Amino acid sequence: DNSLGTGSDFQNRPLSFYDFLKIANIETQLEKDHLNAMSYFIKLHERRFGPNRHPKLKPETWQIQLSDLHLVDDDGMLKEVFDDALITMINHYFNKDYQKGCNYCITHFNDPGIKKVNYHEAAY
């Protein structure tokens, strides 16, 4: 019994990060590195808000977050950030006070403007 469902219903249904992991097609080392950073992000989110509090996202949205996590648009120049630098940015992000009601979702962190600010404030 596949509790996640099948077919197009499954493709469009919002999933937790952990359910996304079960179906994600991770092949390259680069994707594995991104996944490690993403897992770290989710762990910090859980530490702050409690388990399973990160908003569920459609599989396609999780995939986009995974693909874009290491990219920073720095005034039109695309920069790649990896490993320790990405972890530093994630730490910095969770130490910031965003407006009341901010859910600190990965899509918020990955927003080009938000990510650029964290990139610079984390001293890159």
Side-chain angles (χ1 to χ4, degrees), residues 78-121:
L78 213 52
K79 296 184 175 170
E80 294 186 87
V81 185
F82 294 107
D83 303 335
D84 292 351
L86 197 50
I87 296 301
T88 301
M89 284 171 61
I90 291 169
N91 286 332
H92 182 79
Y93 173 80
F94 277 103
N95 285 324
K96 283 176 68 98
D97 287 321
Y98 288 99
Q99 66 199 36
K100 191 170 168 18
C102 176
N103 64 8
Y104 290 80
C105 178
I106 190 119
T107 54
H108 182 253
F109 172 77
N110 232 349
D111 174 88
I114 299 286
K115 197 156 48 170
K116 178 180 158 184
V117 167
N118 279 284
Y119 175 77
H120 285 291
E121 289 178 350

Side-chain angles (χ1 to χ4, degrees), residues 2-15 23 57-59:
N2 183 354
S3 61
L4 291 176
T6 54
S8 60
D9 163 57
F10 167 70
Q11 285 301 320
N12 295 315
R13 222 178 64 208
L15 302 172
I23 60 141
L57 304 172
K58 291 183 177 184

